[in-house]
Amino acid sequence: MGSPRTLRRALALLAVGATALAAGTVSTGTTGSVAAGTATAGTAAGTAAGAPGANPAAGVRVRPASAGHVNAAGRTAPLSTSECVSQLGLHCYSPLQYREAYNLNPLYKEGVTGKGRTIVIVDSFGSPTIQHDLEVFDKQWGIPDTQVEIMKWGNVPPFDPTNPDHTGWAGESTLDVEYAHAVAPDAHIILVETGVAETEGTTGLPEMMDAEQALIRSGRADVISQSFGATENTFPGYDKGDFHSLTDLRYAFKEAAAHNVTVLASSGDNGATDAKENGTDLYPYKVNSWPSSDPLVTSIGGTQLTLDDTGKRTAPDKVWHDAYGAGGGGVSGVFDRPWYQTGVANVTGNHRGTPDISMSAAVDGGAWTYESYDPTRVGWHLTGGTSEAAPIFSGVVALADQLAGYRLGQLNWRLYGLNLLPNQWSGITDVTTGDNSWDTVTGYQAAKGYDLASGLGTIDATRFVHALAGR
């Protein structure tokens, strides 16, 4: 049926040749031939709440978009941006450059580091080397270590480094953990590893929602970062106007709203279109994806940063649209326009519009990650996509929660309210250039104010965190 997948673009760079990409190729992952895995229901929670005795999205499969890069070897050390440009023809960035670009350092000097807050990251399979890899990552950049809490949900199989499903999700887990931690170094991180079985006809979405609901109910989640999604059109019944197979999965987000937990989701890496049921081909017209499209979720889109070696901008941010992908965005085919988007109804029409806010996602502007879960490709790799943008923003939310002294919960009404203020007060910076066209589908153009390519824009974190926290 449908094909949920992580919204992650990945490049693994070989340390050979001064002017060529690894193995002479760049894999974006979403069009790879790796077979999709499917998930069984979580054994610890049973059937999803709100859908008794049923799997509402049976057949909608979960697979990581990062799977296409697993055969490339890693570099022994990361390169600077100028070295990446000269040797690889791509921009590459470290977490220290992001800290400079997003003006995070003044917050750290104030003691705002995410202390006392918990970021929950949900990924199938996880990574058996996540703690070691994070420690190597931290040592490289001088970031204080933290102990990642691993929560296994369901029947998580032993990790198999020869299984591309396992390594693909491990890459996603690594990206999510390393960059949430880089932004909020003192926040506690819980990595939820769900058990995805190679059984056609079942799905991992109820399992993921069950895990999130359990953590919310136990009071252990402040912000949840989701780097996965499924095209709305692939859910059973969509073509008949019956959306229950999707809406019956919203119980975790309703629980989050009731407990003031912030939920984020990547907006997608295929611009204004997205994958069909086979997980490979794209729709030839505009579509949107869930959970990004859910009104109870903050949708995180993608921008392309142009930074020097220190992290200072040499050009304004623009909508991510390079040779490898484009930031997801558009209008939902399932959800009506929520009340908080009333002020941008001239853009969204009568439907929910995404994204809400955007962060770095370009592959030509990828983030360095350290990975050792696959013994054939240990080392430093470059990764991009809105799967990068979501964990970066999760760290920002943890900072704001700490400064406020309480969970800020649903952010969208706050974001659209802040957008009415001048930038020097709101910390929201408009993105006015670029578009998210992709494949054969003409997308949306960035423009002054809200648009369906970048949302409200991007952020100056120091101003934004203070404005969001009201302090």
Side-chain angles (χ1 to χ4, degrees):
M1 309 292 286
S3 177
R5 67 225 167 276
T6 59
L7 303 171
R8 180 182 189 252
R9 300 283 185 185
L11 290 176
L13 303 178
L14 280 172
V16 293
T19 58
L21 286 173
T25 62
V26 174
S27 172
T28 61
T30 51
T31 57
S33 60
V34 177
T38 55
T40 57
T43 57
T47 305
N55 185 338
V60 181
R61 297 176 295 170
V62 177
R63 92 169 171 83
S66 57
H69 78 295
V70 299
N71 292 324
R75 286 182 172 268
T76 56
L79 302 176
S80 68
T81 300
S82 57
E83 289 171 333
C84 280
V85 171
S86 64
Q87 297 182 30
L88 307 172
L90 293 172
H91 293 77
C92 60
Y93 303 131
S94 75
L96 303 186
Q97 287 170 283
Y98 287 128
R99 287 181 168 191
E100 176 66 27
Y102 288 119
N103 195 28
L104 285 157
N105 291 318
L107 289 169
Y108 304 146
K109 291 178 180 177
E110 296 174 35
V112 181
T113 58
K115 189 176 180 62
R117 296 296 156 184
T118 299
I119 300 170
V120 172
I121 293 166
V122 183
D123 283 311
S124 299
F125 301 127
S127 167
T129 61
I130 190 62
Q131 186 64 43
H132 169 265
D133 293 351
L134 181 63
E135 290 171 3
V136 174
F137 179 86
D138 287 343
K139 183 177 180 180
Q140 175 68 35
W141 311 113
I143 299 171
D145 284 335
T146 191
Q147 185 69 37
V148 179
E149 180 180 348
I150 306 298
M151 176 181 174
K152 293 186 181 294
W153 189 267
N155 296 317
V156 183
F159 187 81
D160 179 1
T162 67
N163 183 329
D165 280 336
H166 288 202
T167 55
W169 282 101
E172 182 62 62
S173 301
T174 304
L175 169 69
D176 293 346
V177 169
E178 289 180 355
Y179 277 85
H181 173 61
V183 174
D186 286 335
H188 181 55
I189 294 177
I190 300 176
L191 175 61
V192 179
E193 302 176 351
T194 61
V196 178
E198 300 268 343
T199 306
E200 190 66 34
T202 54
T203 177
L205 285 174
E207 189 173 34
M208 290 172 163
M209 296 302 105
D210 286 351
E212 292 181 14
Q213 184 184 57
L215 281 165
I216 293 164
R217 285 181 170 176
S218 67
R220 304 211 57 215
D222 293 316
V223 53
I224 297 173
S225 182
Q226 303 171 119
S227 291
F228 54 83
T231 309
E232 291 176 335
N233 308 54
T234 64
F235 282 83
Y238 180 92
D239 57 343
K240 299 179 178 62
D242 180 0
F243 305 138
H244 283 93
S245 64
L246 186 157
T247 57
D248 284 350
L249 290 168
R250 303 184 69 218
Y251 53 91
F253 304 154
K254 294 176 182 178
E255 198 81 42
H259 290 81
N260 290 326
V261 174
T262 303
V263 183
L264 313 176
S266 305
S267 71
D269 295 347
N270 294 307
T273 185
D274 222 327
K276 291 184 177 181
E277 293 176 351
N278 62 14
T280 300
D281 297 328
L282 300 177
Y283 283 92
Y285 47 82
K286 295 172 181 174
V287 298
N288 211 318
S289 295
W290 185 87
S292 167
S293 64
D294 200 295
L296 296 177
V297 171
T298 298
S299 173
I300 314 299
T303 57
Q304 183 172 29
L305 277 65
T306 308
L307 309 177
D308 65 17
D309 285 353
T310 68
K312 291 184 170 55
R313 283 177 173 79
T314 58
D317 296 2
K318 60 183 180 181
V319 175
W320 170 38
H321 181 179
D322 57 25
Y324 315 107
V331 294
S332 172
V334 174
F335 298 103
D336 292 337
R337 184 187 68 243
W339 67 269
Y340 53 76
Q341 288 191 318
T342 300
V344 296
N346 61 317
V347 178
T348 68
N350 294 324
H351 297 273
R352 160 72 162 137
T354 63
D356 296 305
I357 202 82
S358 293
M359 304 294 281
S360 179
V363 173
D364 184 5
W368 283 112
T369 59
Y370 183 82
E371 306 170 9
S372 68
Y373 49 82
D374 181 348
T376 68
R377 53 184 299 277
V378 174
W380 292 91
H381 302 266
L382 280 178
T383 306
T386 54
S387 294
E388 171 197 352
I392 288 175
F393 196 76
S394 76
V396 173
V397 177
L399 300 179
D401 280 0
Q402 180 198 348
L403 184 61
Y406 59 90
R407 293 177 185 154
L408 293 170
Q410 293 186 74
L411 290 188
N412 291 347
W413 67 271
R414 299 175 188 271
L415 296 179
Y416 289 87
L418 286 178
N419 195 52
L420 300 175
L421 303 174
N423 165 263
Q424 62 266 32
W425 297 106
S426 70
I428 296 175
T429 303
D430 201 3
V431 174
T432 59
T433 58
D435 69 88
N436 66 350
S437 300
W438 188 245
D439 198 52
T440 62
V441 178
T442 300
Y444 301 95
Q445 183 72 39
K448 185 176 176 58
Y450 180 85
D451 55 70
L452 296 169
S454 68
L456 298 170
T458 190
I459 65 167
D460 173 309
T462 292
R463 292 175 177 176
F464 177 74
V465 164
H466 278 277
L468 200 60
R471 293 177 180 271

